[in-house]
Amino acid sequence: MPISTYTSVSIVVTVLTVAHLASFIVFVTCLSEKPTVTLSRRGRPTIATSFNLSIFTMLISLIIMFCAETAAHLSLDFNVRFGKIIDGILVMARVIGFDMAEIGYINYSYDRAKGIFDRTLPPGLATGLCWVVKTLPLQFLPPVTARAVSVCVSDPNQIALSFMISRWYGAAVAIFTFFLDMIFLVTFVVFLHSNIQCELGSSIADESMAVVAQYGAVGSFVFLATAGSLLAFAGWVKEWLRLLAYIMLSVVSVVLTALKVHLHRDRERRRSTADARLKNVLGSAELRRIRSRETLNRYESPKVYSDAVFVGLNDTLKCLEAV
């Protein structure tokens, strides 16, 4: 018996998400050899940054979610009954996967754009937003717990109560995250609009914030479309609409990864520019000596190096422009 179109699309998206995860792992692994990579407290290159962990969590969650969705529909295509426990586990995997992907997206977006929020929002609202983002995982626990109870119990009344709690509390959390992301989107748009007449290239921080705001606005818009579609049609969510929402969430993960790649290329471009100008002024031998000393300092005092390296590059460029 041939598999359905829905299952085929789900399989393709699952494979693409796995390929995305593999590409991301290769990218951050290669990045660990770069001189601009974050260092651990022991002075060794590390890929376990909060940014990488957020994207990794999001991709793993999406894969779990798509695998559960695919397995459930394969059972329908081949008329295989897993039983109540397995069916419940698949539902739980789908729900938890979606929630964890949301948490990964929100944490990554906030961590990347914290400087934008602090600069654009009033101090009280910026502080409140920080508190909300950090406690967001706790808000997903009640609906997930209620859904887990519905899988474990056998009494119809308890099952109905658990489903009701899971559905209504889950809807409340969905509305909350919708408005939270609305704040993200509005903040990014306001930041970009307020800087249209300004010289964004005046510093490295301004350049990076502009890039983060651009990608953040795109990611927030796609996420709002995803959450909005699920909220608008919550009463009659069809399979294709649910799969479309999952795919749109995957698009958000692509946007976040593209932001990371863009920022890395900008750092490498600035370093190459600095190297070229230093080479013209000081010569190749002196440049090699400076870079060797930078590498030594990087491992001897990783925190100091991590905080100062890009500031130093920016100051070097300004000095060379005056030469």
Side-chain angles (χ1 to χ4, degrees):
M1 180 179 179
I3 61 177
S4 64
T5 304
Y6 183 97
T7 306
S8 300
V9 173
S10 183
I11 292 174
V12 170
V13 177
T14 303
V15 173
L16 291 177
T17 308
V18 172
H20 183 185
L21 175 62
S23 301
F24 177 74
I25 293 175
V26 171
F27 173 74
V28 296
T29 302
C30 295
L31 195 63
S32 66
E33 302 301 324
K34 298 292 184 178
T36 54
V37 71
T38 302
L39 296 177
S40 67
R41 293 182 178 179
R42 295 182 177 180
R44 297 179 180 178
T46 178
I47 61 176
T49 65
S50 60
F51 304 131
N52 292 343
L53 291 177
S54 294
I55 295 181
F56 183 79
T57 298
M58 189 175 186
L59 292 176
I60 289 292
S61 301
L62 288 171
I63 291 173
I64 293 174
M65 182 181 67
F66 281 123
C67 287
E69 186 77 4
T70 302
H73 282 81
L74 280 174
S75 68
L76 296 177
D77 293 340
F78 292 97
N79 197 25
V80 177
R81 301 299 179 185
F82 289 138
K84 178 185 175 181
I85 300 299
I86 301 299
D87 289 340
I89 291 175
L90 292 178
V91 172
M92 286 295 300
R94 191 172 62 200
V95 172
I96 294 176
F98 190 86
D99 290 347
M100 290 299 297
E102 284 185 299
I103 292 172
Y105 155 70
I106 292 175
N107 281 331
Y108 182 90
S109 297
Y110 177 79
D111 288 342
R112 275 293 187 199
K114 189 177 186 304
I116 296 176
F117 295 131
D118 292 341
R119 178 182 294 191
T120 307
L121 298 176
L125 183 55
T127 302
L129 183 63
C130 177
W131 181 86
V132 167
V133 170
K134 298 307 179 185
T135 60
L136 186 64
L138 299 177
Q139 302 177 36
F140 286 92
L141 286 179
V144 171
T145 303
R147 183 59 67 93
V149 171
S150 68
V151 174
C152 298
V153 300
S154 56
D155 181 53
N157 294 329
Q158 292 179 339
I159 294 176
L161 178 61
S162 299
F163 264 110
M164 184 182 68
I165 295 175
S166 175
R167 182 171 183 176
W168 287 106
Y169 197 100
V173 173
I175 294 173
F176 178 80
T177 54
F178 178 85
F179 283 104
L180 177 63
D181 195 65
M182 181 70 75
I183 295 176
F184 282 15
L185 179 59
V186 172
T187 303
F188 292 141
V189 172
V190 169
F191 177 82
L192 291 172
H193 183 266
S194 64
N195 285 279
I196 288 178
Q197 305 300 328
C198 300
E199 186 179 355
L200 289 176
S202 59
S203 69
I204 291 176
D206 286 339
E207 291 181 7
S208 299
M209 283 186 180
V211 172
V212 170
Q214 292 167 2
Y215 279 89
V218 174
S220 294
F221 178 80
V222 177
F223 183 83
L224 282 175
T226 304
S229 62
L230 291 177
L231 288 173
F233 304 101
W236 55 279
V237 173
K238 303 298 182 182
E239 292 179 343
W240 279 103
L241 177 61
R242 186 172 67 234
L243 182 60
L244 179 60
Y246 293 169
I247 294 174
M248 292 174 69
L249 194 56
S250 297
V251 173
V252 174
S253 70
V254 174
V255 173
L256 299 187
T257 305
L259 168 59
K260 181 176 180 63
V261 173
H262 192 139
L263 292 175
H264 166 67
R265 288 180 175 177
D266 281 350
R267 287 194 296 268
E268 292 297 310
R269 174 181 56 81
R270 288 193 294 268
R271 185 178 178 85
S272 297
T273 301
D275 281 351
R277 294 183 179 182
L278 283 172
K279 183 177 180 180
N280 291 334
V281 175
L282 303 176
S284 300
E286 182 66 13
L287 176 61
R288 285 194 298 269
R289 188 192 68 79
I290 292 175
R291 291 309 185 203
S292 298
R293 184 58 187 170
E294 279 186 358
T295 302
L296 181 61
N297 290 338
R298 177 170 175 259
Y299 286 94
E300 289 179 345
S301 305
K303 186 180 187 305
V304 174
Y305 180 89
S306 178
D307 293 341
V309 61
F310 294 124
V311 176
L313 285 178
N314 196 36
D315 292 342
T316 300
L317 291 179
K318 290 181 179 179
C319 292
L320 289 176
E321 286 174 356
V323 174

